[in-house]
Amino acid sequence: MTGSPETPFDFDAMRERVERVRHKELFFIGGTMKAGTTWLQLMLNAHPEISCQGEGHFTNVLIPGLVECYSRYTSVIEDKNRSIFQEIEGFPLPVRNHLHYVGAVAMLLLMSEYGDSAAIKLVGEKTPDNIRALPMLHLVFPRARFINIIRDGRDVAVSAWFHNLRVSPEWAMKNFGSLERFSDHYASIWQREVETAHIFAKANPGRVLEMTYEKLHDDGRNEMARVLTFLGADDSEASLERCLTAGEFKRLTKGRQMGEEDRNSHFRKGVVGDWRHHMTEATAARFAEMTKGWLRDMGYE
């Protein structure tokens, strides 16, 4: 395995780290692709009581990998029990709670790499796909809080298109070839993710904070104060200022002004309503139709 240099294996020390982090306040950030999850994560990570990293891809990579591993292991043990040990008791098979436990410990162990400090009271992780797996995260971390950041789906589609052109241009052109085709593809994804997270939030009052990129963009101070209050973090002016400073577009881009585009940057433009400069009326109309009213329900029409 690769990564940072490891200290000698110490089971007890690792278990203690996991327990320390488990008893801190945990939270997870999710949102549709290019909705501002990285921006929010960086601001929260600047808070003196918070450590929030991204992206761990727990729910869309780590846990599915563990599920596959357990499935293969179970098949082998079942076959051995059936074919070799018919006359004696076979080896016990894994059960679902074993997988839940191993998954929870794996996530906590990774979060302990950045959250195991006495000064840190809240430990968070940001992966956009978290909003697809809120029930699973809630099952293994019932005290955890969740932040879902929502952005106008049309802006998300435009930003995601340019993101794909930057990181995987051959894939983007081969599979879609144009913003119009990508937008048609992405509309249902945006609708499904927003709807799924919204339903979970309604079913679990007090556990999920829904916020929008637009409000964070236009009224960052009040929105960040609302986030800190939700998490139970210090919301003093000093802490709030640290968060806001960390999220300044000019700081993140090393000098660019908001609206000044750089298509080679993760922080391409940082504006609201950019879809109007890239989508045709027909494309925007199709997007609205395909999102089944959620664009309207979220206040974007």
Side-chain angles (χ1 to χ4, degrees):
M1 298 180 68
T2 60
S4 57
E6 295 186 11
T7 57
F9 177 70
D10 186 331
F11 180 91
D12 290 329
M14 296 178 80
R15 177 178 55 79
E16 289 167 5
R17 278 172 48 199
V18 165
E19 281 299 302
R20 284 194 295 269
V21 172
R22 187 173 75 88
H23 286 94
K24 294 176 186 281
E25 296 297 324
L26 304 179
F27 68 94
F28 297 88
I29 299 173
T32 52
M33 179 182 180
K34 302 303 291 181
T37 56
T38 298
W39 185 25
L40 178 61
Q41 175 246 315
L42 291 171
M43 283 193 277
L44 287 173
N45 194 51
H47 190 285
E49 294 179 341
I50 300 174
S51 183
C52 182
Q53 295 293 312
E55 298 174 358
H57 290 279
F58 296 152
T59 62
N60 62 322
V61 179
L62 177 63
I63 300 304
L66 290 174
V67 170
E68 181 183 359
C69 175
Y70 262 58
S71 178
R72 286 190 281 112
Y73 175 78
T74 299
S75 294
V76 170
I77 300 303
E78 283 180 329
D79 181 65
K80 296 293 184 183
N81 287 348
R82 182 176 56 251
S83 62
I84 300 177
F85 302 113
Q86 296 176 345
E87 299 167 307
I88 60 175
E89 184 178 2
F91 197 80
L93 297 174
V95 298
R96 186 177 296 273
N97 277 343
H98 293 161
L99 183 57
H100 291 159
Y101 179 84
V102 171
V105 169
M107 289 186 274
L108 287 168
L109 189 58
L110 291 167
M111 293 172 79
S112 75
E113 290 291 330
Y114 56 86
D116 185 26
S117 165
I120 298 301
K121 298 180 180 178
L122 301 98
V123 184
E125 185 272 341
K126 181 277 296 186
T127 298
D129 287 87
N130 283 340
I131 60 166
R132 299 183 180 187
L134 294 177
M136 186 274 286
L137 287 169
H138 183 55
L139 173 67
V140 295
F141 301 121
R143 294 189 302 108
R145 298 183 184 274
F146 306 96
I147 302 174
N148 174 27
I149 182 164
I150 304 164
R151 186 182 185 184
D152 187 325
R154 296 162 295 190
D155 271 341
V156 169
V158 168
S159 186
W161 172 246
F162 285 115
H163 171 82
N164 286 325
L165 287 180
R166 178 173 65 88
V167 300
S168 51
E170 292 183 1
W171 175 86
M173 295 308 295
K174 178 182 177 181
N175 287 278
F176 303 104
S178 68
L179 170 61
E180 288 72 24
R181 288 181 60 192
F182 178 77
S183 176
D184 289 347
H185 160 78
Y186 200 75
S188 60
I189 296 175
W190 182 87
Q191 175 265 321
R192 185 169 60 252
E193 292 183 342
V194 169
E195 181 178 13
T196 299
H198 188 67
I199 290 172
F200 178 85
K202 289 186 68 175
N204 295 274
R207 310 313 302 179
V208 183
L209 175 69
E210 290 185 318
M211 60 184 301
T212 69
Y213 175 95
E214 290 77 17
K215 286 186 179 179
L216 187 60
H217 182 278
D218 296 338
D219 190 10
R221 184 170 296 275
N222 283 332
E223 277 301 282
M224 283 306 298
R226 191 164 73 94
V227 172
L228 296 180
T229 298
F230 169 74
L231 293 175
D234 173 50
D235 60 356
S236 66
E237 188 62 27
S239 293
L240 185 57
E241 194 61 37
R242 284 182 61 166
C243 296
L244 294 171
T245 299
E248 291 176 352
F249 187 81
K250 189 173 182 179
R251 180 187 183 93
L252 294 172
T253 62
K254 297 180 173 57
R256 269 191 297 126
Q257 296 294 327
M258 196 171 288
E260 190 177 334
E261 185 178 38
D262 179 359
R263 295 187 180 181
N264 293 316
S265 170
H266 180 83
F267 305 100
R268 180 181 62 91
K269 203 171 185 179
V271 296
V272 171
D274 193 42
W275 64 270
R276 294 183 174 87
H277 299 111
H278 298 280
M279 280 189 178
T280 64
E281 288 186 11
T283 300
R286 282 198 309 276
F287 191 98
E289 181 180 358
M290 294 173 70
T291 56
K292 302 177 181 179
W294 280 94
L295 203 61
R296 179 194 62 244
D297 292 347
M298 292 291 103
Y300 294 119
E301 282 193 326

